[in-house]
Amino acid sequence: MRLRELLIDAWSWLNYKQAMADPTRPGHHAFPELNTSWVPVEEMRRLAAYKFLAAYDSNQAGQLAAVTGEEHHGVERRELGDPSKLIDTTLGYLLGPEQTIVVPGADHAEQDKASAEDRAAADLQDKLRAWADKELLALRIQQAERCAVRCGDGVYTLAWEPSKRRALLRTYDPGFYFPEWDEGEQDSAEYPSRVHFAWELAADPVRGLKARVRRITYELGPIGPATSPGSLDGRAIREQVVGEDGDPVLTVGDTRDTVTGTVTRIYPWAPGKPSSTTCYLTDAEWLLEDLGRAHDVFSLPADKAAYRVRSDGQVLDRLDLMHDFIPVVHIPNSIPDVGEHWGKSTLATVLQLLDELAATDTDSASASATTGTPIVALAGARLPIDRSTGQPLPVRVEAGTVWQLSDSGRMDTLDTSAQLAELRQRINHLLDRLAANTRLTAAGLGSLDPAKLPNGYSLQVALGPLDSLVGALRLARNHKYQLLLRMVQRLHQAGQEWPAGESLPARLVFGAHTPTDRTTVLADVTSGYEAGVFSLETGVRMLQEAGYPIEDVAEEIERIQKRAFDQAARLADATGDNGAVRGYLGLPEADPVQKVPLIQPGQPGTQGQPPTGPHPAQPQPPTQLPPPGSTGAVGAGGPGPR
C-alpha cells in the first residue's frame, strides 16, 4: 500500500497484507466469494479481516500467504497453534469458570420483611435461570464470545417461538451481520434502525436448487394495519386485512389517532405509555442469477424475493413482531473508538509478531533437521560400488556405519547446534514479547517459572496487566448482556408467558478470572461479618465469587440461619419476640398456648359455690390408707360399706 493510499480504519492493522490493499480488485483476492454482487463494497475490508483471522486460528496462515503470493513456500510454514492458544486463553480469563444471572434484590426475598420488589426480583431471577438452562446459555456464550475474541465482533439474536412458548437464543457469524444506520447517525452508542443477516446458499443439483442468497431483516417502523398471509403470482406474501367497509383493520389493542392517523399500542413493559413503533421481520431468498451489480444486501429487489413461512404458518414478509426493539445484540471484543461500531480482535496488534514466531519455528525445524542428521563430507573414502551399473552407491549416515579412509582421508560434519540454540532463544524472546503485548502476561499464559515468584503478592503484581485486560473486556460487555436479558423479559411478556410490568434490571456475572486465596477470603468474610462491617448476604456472595460451591445465595443464607442458634438467642434477648426468633430459624409459627384461669381465694367456684377444699397454696394432709383387711372406705365420711 503506497503512502498516498494510506487508510486508517478499524482494520488498519492488516494493511501490511497485500490482499488487504485492494480487496475489491478481481483476480488478486484470496477470497473470491467476497466479490459477489450482493456484498457491499464498504464491507469488503471487514469481511476480509474476518477471513484472515479465521485462517490464523486454524493454522492456515501459510496457505493463505501462498495463495496471495506473499510467500512462495508458505505451505511449508510451521504453525504450532499459538494464535488459537491466545484466543482460548483470553476467552477463559474473560468468562471465568462460570456465568451467573443475577437480579438485584433477589437475595432479600427470603427475609421476613422482604418487599414486593424483592420478591418480584427473585421470581424473575428464577425464570431467567430456567430459561438459560433450556436455551443452553453457557454454550451460546462460549460460541459467541470465542468469535468475538477472534474476530472482534459477536452477534446474538432472539426470536419468539410460538410452539415452545419461549424466546430462542441464536448466535451468528459476524460476517453475516450487516447493520444499517440512517445517514449521519453511525456511532457506537447508536442502535441501528435496520439490521440484516445475509449469506449464500450453495446450489444443490440433486434437489434442483440454484445458488441463492438468504437475508433476514429486522426493521423498526411505524405501526400499521393488521396483515395476514396471502399470495401473489404464486409467491407467499402478507396482505392487509380490510373490514366490511373496505377500510384497513387494526390489530387488537391498537388505537388510531383520528387527527394524525398515527397508530399506537401499549406494550406490557411500558404500561400507560403508548408507542407508535414496532419491529418488522422479513426472511426471504433471492436467486443469484436475478441479482446484478446494482443490487447489494441493502437493496435487494422485493419483486424477486421468495419469502419463508414460519412454523405457525405466518409468512415472514414484514411480519409485525409486536415489540418496539430489534432483538439483536452485537458484542464487541473491545471498547469501540469514537464513531466506530466494531471491536478489535485479540490477535490484531500482535499479528505480525505471530508471523515472526511462525517464521522462527520454520527456521528452527530446518536447523533441527541438520542437527539431528548432520551433513557429512568424506575425503579419501572407498565407497561401495553398484555391481550392475558400476556407479558408487549413495552414502547414508546410519548407526554402526564404517567407512574405510585412505591415509589422507578426512571426514567433516556440519554442526548447526549453535544456530538451533539461538533460534530457541529467539522463540522464547518472541513468546515473552507476545505475552507482554497482549497483556496476558507470562504468568497468565503459564510460561512463568513459579520458582521466580517468592510470594503471592509477587504473583498478583505479575498478573496486573491481565487484570486490566479482563476489566476492559468485561466493561465492553456489561451493558450488552443487560440489554440481552431485558429483551428476554420483554419477549416473554409479549408472548403473555410472564406478567406485565416494567422490566427489572438483570446482569450476567462472570466468575473470578485468576486463582483466589479461598482461605483468606473465608477469614475476611468471617471477621467482617462478626464485626458487623458487612451483611451476611455480602459475605455469602464473596464466598460464591471465590469459588465455593454455593449455587444460590438466598438458599445458602436460609440454611445458615436455620443453624444459627447463638444469633437466634441474641435476637430473643433483644426483642423478646418468640415469633421473630422462629422466623429467623426458618421454623413454622407455634400453636397458640391456651391460658387456664386460676381461681383466687374468696372467689366463687366454677358452679357459683365457694370452694370446699383447702386453698391451693395450703399443704394438704396426707391420705390415710385403710389397714389391711379393713372394709371401710377411705374418705371424710368414715367407715362404710365397700
Side-chain angles (χ1 to χ4, degrees), residues 24-90:
T24 62
R25 186 179 180 185
H28 296 277
H29 200 275
F31 316 112
E33 67 274 11
L34 299 183
N35 288 325
T36 54
S37 60
W38 64 272
V39 178
V41 177
E42 59 271 19
E43 301 289 345
M44 288 291 190
R45 283 176 58 82
R46 176 173 69 92
L47 300 182
Y50 294 159
K51 291 282 189 177
F52 271 101
L53 294 169
Y56 275 83
D57 183 25
S58 57
N59 285 350
Q60 292 180 294
Q63 300 177 24
L64 181 60
V67 171
T68 57
E70 296 181 12
E71 295 183 18
H72 297 290
H73 303 286
V75 180
E76 301 176 0
R77 181 177 178 176
R78 294 292 188 272
E79 299 178 68
L80 306 182
D82 294 292
S84 180
K85 177 186 177 182
L86 290 179
I87 294 172
D88 293 335
T89 303
T90 305

Side-chain angles (χ1 to χ4, degrees), residues 351-522:
L351 208 61
Q352 296 187 50
L353 187 55
L354 292 172
D355 288 340
E356 290 287 337
L357 187 58
T360 306
D361 286 332
T362 304
D363 295 340
S364 178
S366 300
S368 63
T370 57
T371 301
T373 307
I375 300 175
V376 179
L378 294 175
R382 296 180 181 178
L383 301 179
I385 302 297
D386 189 349
R387 295 184 179 181
S388 60
T389 61
Q391 299 295 328
L393 293 174
V395 179
R396 299 184 60 183
V397 180
E398 297 178 353
T401 302
V402 177
W403 286 297
Q404 206 171 19
L405 304 179
S406 61
D407 295 339
S408 59
R410 187 177 73 254
M411 182 179 67
D412 299 321
T413 59
L414 180 62
D415 186 8
T416 59
S417 59
Q419 290 83 349
L420 179 60
E422 181 64 26
L423 288 172
R424 289 178 176 175
Q425 292 181 5
R426 176 172 171 76
I427 290 175
N428 293 333
H429 166 71
L430 291 176
L431 290 176
D432 292 340
R433 190 78 172 267
L434 191 67
N437 290 354
T438 57
R439 291 193 295 169
L440 291 173
T441 69
L445 290 175
S447 58
L448 182 64
D449 186 2
K452 296 181 179 180
L453 299 173
N455 48 47
Y457 179 74
S458 300
L459 177 60
Q460 185 176 359
V461 173
L463 292 174
L466 177 61
D467 296 338
S468 64
L469 171 64
V470 173
L473 295 177
R474 293 183 175 181
L475 178 61
R477 291 161 168 81
N478 285 339
H479 172 68
K480 299 293 185 176
Y481 282 106
Q482 292 179 16
L483 182 63
L484 176 69
L485 296 176
R486 187 184 307 133
M487 289 181 180
V488 172
Q489 296 180 56
R490 295 186 175 182
L491 285 176
H492 284 85
Q493 289 176 328
Q496 300 181 358
E497 287 295 314
W498 294 359
E502 294 186 0
S503 302
L504 298 179
R507 58 193 178 93
L508 189 68
V509 178
F510 300 106
H513 63 281
T514 54
T516 306
D517 190 350
R518 295 169 59 175
T519 304
T520 303
V521 174
L522 179 60

Side-chain angles (χ1 to χ4, degrees), residues 9-227:
D9 58 4
W11 301 277
S12 300
W13 40 270
L14 262 176
N15 283 349
Y16 77 99
K17 295 289 187 180
Q18 296 179 6
M20 287 293 291
D22 187 6
T24 62
R25 186 179 180 185
H28 296 277
H29 200 275
F31 316 112
E33 67 274 11
L34 299 183
N35 288 325
T36 54
S37 60
W38 64 272
V39 178
V41 177
E42 59 271 19
E43 301 289 345
M44 288 291 190
R45 283 176 58 82
R46 176 173 69 92
L47 300 182
Y50 294 159
K51 291 282 189 177
F52 271 101
L53 294 169
Y56 275 83
D57 183 25
S58 57
N59 285 350
Q60 292 180 294
Q63 300 177 24
L64 181 60
V67 171
T68 57
E70 296 181 12
E71 295 183 18
H72 297 290
H73 303 286
V75 180
E76 301 176 0
R77 181 177 178 176
R78 294 292 188 272
E79 299 178 68
L80 306 182
D82 294 292
S84 180
K85 177 186 177 182
L86 290 179
I87 294 172
D88 293 335
T89 303
T90 305
L91 179 66
Y93 286 124
L94 166 64
L95 300 181
E98 60 183 5
Q99 303 84 44
T100 308
I101 297 177
V102 175
V103 179
D107 297 342
H108 307 286
E110 300 297 331
Q111 295 181 357
D112 296 334
K113 298 182 179 180
S115 62
E117 291 78 7
D118 295 337
R119 290 190 291 270
D123 180 63
L124 176 61
Q125 180 174 274
D126 294 339
K127 290 180 178 178
L128 287 175
R129 291 180 177 179
W131 168 83
D133 291 338
K134 293 179 180 178
E135 284 301 304
L136 305 177
L137 180 61
L139 177 62
R140 301 297 183 186
I141 289 175
Q142 290 280 341
Q143 291 176 339
E145 288 294 355
R146 194 181 191 283
C147 194
V149 171
R150 182 189 65 200
C151 298
D153 305 286
V155 184
Y156 291 106
T157 63
L158 290 166
W160 179 255
E161 178 56 43
S163 60
K164 296 183 178 180
R165 306 301 300 171
R166 71 171 185 266
L168 301 184
L169 178 66
R170 295 294 181 264
T171 61
Y172 277 92
D173 189 292
F176 300 161
Y177 174 59
F178 298 93
E180 187 175 354
W181 290 269
D182 295 334
E183 185 177 0
E185 293 187 0
Q186 183 173 355
D187 185 76
S188 61
E190 294 289 341
Y191 207 87
S193 59
R194 189 180 296 106
V195 171
H196 306 281
F197 292 92
W199 62 93
E200 286 191 13
L201 300 174
D204 189 353
V206 177
R207 300 170 57 190
L209 298 177
K210 298 181 180 180
R212 295 149 292 153
V213 174
R214 182 180 177 185
R215 189 187 72 178
I216 302 174
T217 301
Y218 295 92
E219 179 181 5
L220 295 179
I223 300 175
T227 60

